[in-house]
Amino acid sequence: MATLTVMPSGKTIEVGEGTTILAALLGAEVEIPHKCEGQAKCGSCHIFLQEGRKGVSKVSKLENEKLDSIVGVGSKSRLACQATILGTENVKIELLGFGSGL
Ligand code: FES
């Protein structure tokens, strides 16, 4: 288990190993766009990974390619549907305003 802290609200969620950040958020009733339902195709689940980089799966080729096509991407950008909690470290993410990255 790892603790996922969601900014800007500061809400914390206990997340089991192997769970995607998207699934963790939706399971905790945190609203996040996910238009392609986790296929790494829409980019609407774009988030910033603020802390705990080592506690999250590496960026896949598919995710990287999608991120490359999104406006406003930075070094902390991830797709919530592709980033899996490893359970080794607590993680803090920042949700972006709805409509960004679309
Ligand atoms: S839900 Fe579409 S890219 Fe993540």
Side-chain angles (χ1 to χ4, degrees), residues 57-100:
S57 61
K58 292 203 171 104
V59 181
S60 68
K61 189 163 176 266
L62 189 65
E63 181 180 355
N64 206 17
E65 282 171 4
K66 186 66 223 173
L67 284 171
D68 270 352
S69 71
I70 301 174
V71 176
V73 166
S75 60
K76 293 180 175 173
S77 291
R78 294 298 306 262
L79 295 177
C81 69
Q82 301 299 303
T84 302
I85 299 288
L86 300 177
T88 53
E89 195 172 324
N90 293 334
V91 175
K92 186 191 272 187
I93 63 161
E94 183 178 346
L95 296 180
L96 304 163
F98 284 179
S100 60

Side-chain angles (χ1 to χ4, degrees), residues 9-79:
S9 71
K11 182 179 175 109
T12 58
I13 308 167
E14 290 301 312
V15 185
E17 181 185 336
T19 306
T20 64
I21 291 177
L22 178 65
L25 292 172
L26 295 177
E29 296 183 351
V30 175
E31 281 191 56
I32 176 169
H34 52 287
K35 290 187 177 170
C36 74
E37 302 291 342
Q39 304 296 309
K41 286 184 180 157
C42 69
S44 66
C45 65
H46 176 209
I47 55 158
F48 286 134
L49 180 58
Q50 299 289 21
E51 289 173 23
R53 219 172 207 167
K54 288 185 190 148
V56 178
S57 61
K58 292 203 171 104
V59 181
S60 68
K61 189 163 176 266
L62 189 65
E63 181 180 355
N64 206 17
E65 282 171 4
K66 186 66 223 173
L67 284 171
D68 270 352
S69 71
I70 301 174
V71 176
V73 166
S75 60
K76 293 180 175 173
S77 291
R78 294 298 306 262
L79 295 177

